[in-house]
Amino acid sequence: MFLRELTMPPDHIKGAGPAAVRTLAHAGVTSVGALLCRYPRDWEDRSVAVPLADFGRSSVVCTVVRVLAHDWFGFGGMKTLKVYVEDSSARAVLVCFNRPFLEKQLAVGRQFRLWGRFFYKYGEIQSTVFEVEPLEGGVPEAESAAKSSRVFGRIFPVYPLSAGLTQGLLRKLIKTALSQYAPPLEDELPEEITRRDGLFPKAQAIRAIHFPASPGELDLARKTLIYEELFYLEVMVGKRAMERRSPRSGTVRPSKYRERHVQDSGAPLQRRLLERLPFDLTPGQEDAVAEINRDMDGPFPMARLLQGDVGSGKTLVSFLAALKAVGAGGQAALMAPTELLARQHAENAAALLEPLGVRIAFLTGNIKAAGRTPLLKSLASGDVDMAVGTHALFSRDVVYWSLRLVVVDEQHRFGVTQRQAIMAKGHASLASPGTPDLLMMSATPIPRTLALTVFGDLDVSVIRDLPPGRKPVKTHLARESNEGKVYEFVGRELAAGRQAYFVYPLIEAADNRDLKDAESMAERLATTVFPRHKTALVHSRLDEEEKRKTMEAFRRGEVQVLVATSVVEVGVDVPNASCMVIEHAERFGLSALHQLRGRVGRGGEQSYCFLVYSDEGPEGGGLTEDGKTRLKVMLENSDGFVIAEEDLKLRGPGQITGIEQSGYLALGIADLVRDAGELARARTDAFAMLEADPELLAPEHRRVAEVLERAPPFSPVVM
Ligand code: ADP
Ligand code: MG
């Protein structure tokens, strides 16, 4: 039996009363297996003696003391007992807040075992958090003391607590559960690996993670469980990668495009677009296109993630992929997260691809029946070659003639279910059902560690270069009280014909907070700060038509100052804009800041980004330590990959945009950042095992993978 097959409720544990079972259920622990997987968050080593004098090294003391004297401070009912103690090394004070009863127990002259956290205060070594145990008849032999003691001689688990749970309850229940259920547990890791790395068998690992007999045992238990977790994570990733490698199905019937342009095939179409461009592809774009072409010519459907920093020219790469699909007789669909961005892509596609005879359709949720019906008809008949839009591209009533390529822009904005719906459209194509090629694009660089997991079954192309002639954006930090200077600077840029973005964390004024908001600031910037320039406002609550008009006016330069919330974060491309002012910058996440800054520096002019932060301390809603670190990262780095790694360090993988949407990465004990090296090894092991076995997995391992897959905390959602 595997650990996660211990699905019986906790009332099977001896001594677990109904109250305890209810408390556990409240904390989400409804099975014995889940209880045993509630790993300690820390361990207290009370197995080695630490004399009082050594408290500075570990802050924890574990010793035998004699009580010297009592003292009280405070008044009346608030009086607090102080107990003076000493061991052979030093004197110290136990401050007994709310524990006046200790006066009797800690009688002067008696000896006690003492465990506690100590600190230095008022010239004394003090503790307020301590546990004591009377010592009968002098100091016993160390060995027997360890055995008999409740407080000493062992390493104690410290569990993460939630409503109603106490350390005492968890320690007791887990201890009993271990003795009832641990011994027959089966190993989950392949024996070769356990042997090679000298890891523990599962039963021993799970016992030792909770109640290690020594620090060495604890280390090995952690190592075992971490490796096991990462190994099966990668088994699942690898399994999906291999399952998807089923050969292309369906034969392509010649599309309307092919009928119209008999002479074409994929490559010439791409060449014709390149010839029309006023610039050359960057080396990074060229490599990406080559990789995509190879995939699309290959025997298996493509599943590729195209990573490239903001402004690296991913859109063009996706257009070239679309040309390949269209040239080969299929249809392409390009999905963007916002209508604003979808529209921009559609316009670009129209400008670049329609001259080549490619028919483009624009489809969003806002297009109503009158326009929609003929549009859907032409998608189903193959009269449209490329559809550009929002997730409406994949709503229920949309049918494709021959969907061969799906491009998902800013993929982190989409949930996993949406991506699945997309793929299903390919299988439902009228003329050539089959898995379409998939190209996901992201400007939120995915740190390497995550690339090996969440997106671990995708091939990855990375564009590392920006188009030539771009000047790095100059970034400045400014206090809110100095905003006048920032406005002055921006004013000079505007006077020189440039444009500027101003971004705020809120759409409208919030009564309870002293934060600037987009609406009020649009008013203020328009009337008092830049009265001679035209200012406009966009945010997510405006209707699409209004947003479109505003963006269009900004793009054409009719509006010089665009006031916005983070809706301008993705995609928008206005090369003449040279200033990005982000107010209350401390309130934005790193990746949002990076995306926002990426909106400028897209033309030949020097561009600037001002990160304006609140003067007040954290209490006033101003700069926290975290906020400070983020701003500093922005100041010192421009490479999106470096920023993403910093983001991961600051926030942990669970918080990274897009990952939380996928409901992924509730790992039990492994930490993708800390254990990155182990992860890479586990991946090699897992993939080797999968490749060695024609059935993908030996039956016993397949069973583990299945059990893990069904049971959180182990649920990677991978495309
Ligand atoms: P992103 O990767 O952020 O989506 P875009 O696709 O929006 O970047 O491209 C940014 C800008 O760079 C666009 O205006 C695009 O026309 C331009 N561009 C793309 N490729 C090149 C290139 N090879 N040389 C010069 N400009 C390019
Ligand atoms: Mg883009």
Side-chain angles (χ1 to χ4, degrees), residues 218-292:
L218 172 59
D219 267 0
L220 196 52
R222 293 188 64 205
K223 204 172 148 208
T224 303
L225 294 174
I226 287 171
Y227 202 75
E228 182 193 286
E229 202 163 88
L230 296 174
F231 177 78
Y232 278 101
L233 180 63
E234 288 300 329
V235 164
M236 278 181 269
V237 168
K239 218 161 65 112
R240 277 175 223 222
M242 287 175 198
E243 278 161 9
R244 212 201 12 244
R245 262 192 239 160
S246 52
R248 291 180 189 283
S249 51
T251 43
V252 185
R253 274 205 264 153
S255 67
K256 297 286 163 66
Y257 182 88
R258 285 299 284 275
E259 286 168 18
R260 293 198 308 273
H261 304 264
V262 249
Q263 77 283 11
D264 287 323
S265 70
L269 255 185
Q270 290 184 341
R271 199 173 316 134
R272 279 169 51 205
L273 173 59
L274 294 177
E275 280 162 8
R276 291 173 47 87
L277 289 176
F279 47 72
D280 292 329
L281 292 187
T282 62
Q285 284 174 317
E286 258 175 31
D287 290 348
V289 171
E291 283 163 348
I292 289 166

Side-chain angles (χ1 to χ4, degrees), residues 379-397:
L379 278 176
S381 65
D383 284 312
V384 157
D385 306 305
M386 181 178 184
V388 182
T390 58
H391 60 272
L393 287 174
F394 304 97
S395 38
R396 189 126 32 94
D397 56 346

Side-chain angles (χ1 to χ4, degrees), residues 388-453:
V388 182
T390 58
H391 60 272
L393 287 174
F394 304 97
S395 38
R396 189 126 32 94
D397 56 346
V398 180
V399 178
Y400 291 86
W401 163 257
S402 174
L403 184 60
R404 300 296 303 196
L405 171 71
V406 174
V407 180
V408 181
D409 193 17
E410 307 292 346
Q411 57 77 27
H412 62 279
R413 292 287 182 114
F414 293 98
V416 170
T417 41
Q418 274 166 315
R419 288 181 218 151
Q420 274 154 1
I422 300 168
M423 299 311 271
K425 288 291 176 201
H427 289 279
S429 283
L430 296 175
S432 57
T435 307
D437 287 312
L438 174 67
L439 179 65
M440 298 209 266
M441 306 201 288
S442 174
T444 306
I446 293 144
R448 229 186 84 73
T449 38
L450 292 188
L452 291 178
T453 52

Side-chain angles (χ1 to χ4, degrees), residues 1-82:
M1 184 179 265
F2 295 128
L3 176 60
R4 283 177 185 78
E5 290 178 312
L6 297 175
T7 52
M8 62 294 278
D11 60 10
H12 285 225
I13 301 168
K14 290 191 194 99
V21 171
R22 263 198 311 277
T23 313
L24 286 177
H26 259 292
V29 178
T30 53
S31 70
V32 172
L35 179 65
L36 292 181
C37 285
R38 197 170 174 107
Y39 301 128
R41 66 170 165 76
D42 200 1
W43 292 264
E44 284 168 10
D45 187 353
R46 304 185 190 174
S47 64
V48 282
V50 180
L52 282 169
D54 283 1
F55 82 96
R57 260 195 303 124
S58 59
S59 86
V60 167
V61 158
C62 189
T63 186
V64 171
V65 292
R66 178 184 305 279
V67 178
L68 297 174
H70 289 178
D71 191 11
W72 295 86
F73 66 97
F75 307 96
M78 301 288 288
K79 273 189 1 179
T80 298
L81 172 67
K82 282 171 86 175

Side-chain angles (χ1 to χ4, degrees), residues 314-315 345 409-410 571:
K314 295 182 292 294
T315 316
H345 284 333
D409 193 17
E410 307 292 346

